[in-house]
Amino acid sequence: MATVELKNVRKTFGRNVIAVDRLDLEVNNKEFMVLVGPSGCGKSTILRMIAGLERMDEGEIFIDGKVVNDVPARDRDIAMVFQNYALYPHMTAYQNMAFGLKLRKYPQAEIGKRVREAAEILSISRFLNRKPKALSGGESQRVAVGRAIVRKPKVFLFDEPLSNLDAKLRVQMRTELSKLHARLKATIIYVTHDQLEAMTMGERIAVVRDGLLQQVDQPLQLYRRPINKFVAGFIGSPTMNFIEGAIEGSEDSLVFDEGQLKIEIPPRCHKSLSRYIGDPLIFGLRPEDIHYLDPAKSGQETAEISATVDVVEPMGNETFLHLIAGKSHLVASTTASVLPQLGEKIELTLDLSRAHFFDKETELSLL
Ligand code: ATP
């Protein structure tokens, strides 16, 4: 297996579209790296450049420490699985999986062995004689993955491979691809716009926005310590609450003032925040850190606020409360069995040990 490294990579389309800029990214041997970001942020372009399907304007790509800028796609020893599966319609599942090996003139016996092995791993042995039109979306997806596996490539690239599947199958395939990674011990680079897919599958996640890499880290680190407001808002669902305001007070007594809401800032944050007194800031708190009918644990850094209930969304295991507090709209998630009424005024406890503060202009995290 292999390492993949991108150094200062840039790709433009025409004069105006900078699809990828100043990209530095290292993918470790056997790592499951997920590239995530909104539609159009440059994820597929990054993948296609690694595969050798797209030339870059600047920078270098290394596979196993060797520059591959001028190595054609077929010689990079990389297999790519596409969103639309790209199976040949006139070939059976077996022939689709065998095709790449046949082109490379592998002996018949070796091809048969590898296809059967891959089919076994993916539980598609009984579909091998069927053509794609006789396969469901999930089965076609497995054949496409099987076609990549049989080649035993150095690196697997997945471009939104689950987005054509229904929600239930997506969840199932997510688990299967994670298990497959553990079994193959392969280097995988996986592109998705779905933050849940990224969180559940990635060993590390690279968040991309407008062609620029924002942050690379393990899923829970990204969730707990986002580097900026974009990452904070992109990772997690429902999304983090953001309240605009300013820091007031003096060095030993700071308050975040939203205009109507006032939140006393715990002493832990004073050192980092006191230099921003008077500046416009954004306060961030995830829905699960706004507690309703849930007493604060001793020693917890908390603040109390009142809010009016705007919408109640029961999800089964939890309920999302949409609230109006001061001038702001907030979402809290609660597991309380007694739910408030629409329009009711309720008291909430904010867990400030989980609070984030962002510079309004740069959107960088200040803690
Ligand atoms: P999605 O999740 O929608 O697939 P993405 O993050 O994979 O999006 P890319 O497909 O990499 O994004 O596209 C990045 C940017 O480059 C977009 O603005 C897109 O319109 C542009 N782009 C991509 N391919 C081309 C092309 N061949 N010609 C011109 N512009 C392109």
Side-chain angles (χ1 to χ4, degrees), residues 175-248:
T175 324
E176 287 188 19
L177 286 179
S178 294
K179 279 201 233 158
L180 185 68
H181 173 246
R183 180 160 179 180
L184 297 177
K185 299 190 172 58
T187 307
I188 294 181
I189 307 176
Y190 184 103
V191 159
T192 179
H193 62 268
D194 180 343
Q195 60 90 24
L196 196 61
E197 228 170 88
M199 287 294 284
T200 50
M201 296 173 83
E203 286 175 306
R204 282 194 305 156
I205 301 174
V207 184
V208 184
R209 176 199 199 184
D210 294 340
L212 291 170
L213 184 63
Q214 307 288 300
Q215 188 172 4
V216 188
D217 217 325
Q218 293 165 357
L220 287 181
Q221 278 297 104
L222 277 187
Y223 190 79
R224 291 185 185 140
R225 305 199 64 83
I227 197 166
N228 60 26
K229 181 174 172 251
F230 176 80
V231 175
F234 193 79
I235 301 287
S237 176
T239 192
M240 184 185 282
N241 293 291
F242 295 115
I243 304 178
E244 294 197 6
I247 302 267
E248 311 285 335

Side-chain angles (χ1 to χ4, degrees), residues 13 17 19 38-45 160:
F13 291 105
V17 181
S39 182
C41 73
K43 309 176 295 286
S44 300
T45 306
E160 308 234 11

Side-chain angles (χ1 to χ4, degrees), residues 302-323:
T302 56
E304 309 294 321
I305 60 166
S306 341
T308 307
V309 179
D310 194 26
V311 177
V312 177
E313 273 181 347
M315 306 302 287
N317 58 340
E318 61 183 338
T319 299
F320 300 142
L321 303 176
H322 294 251
L323 306 156

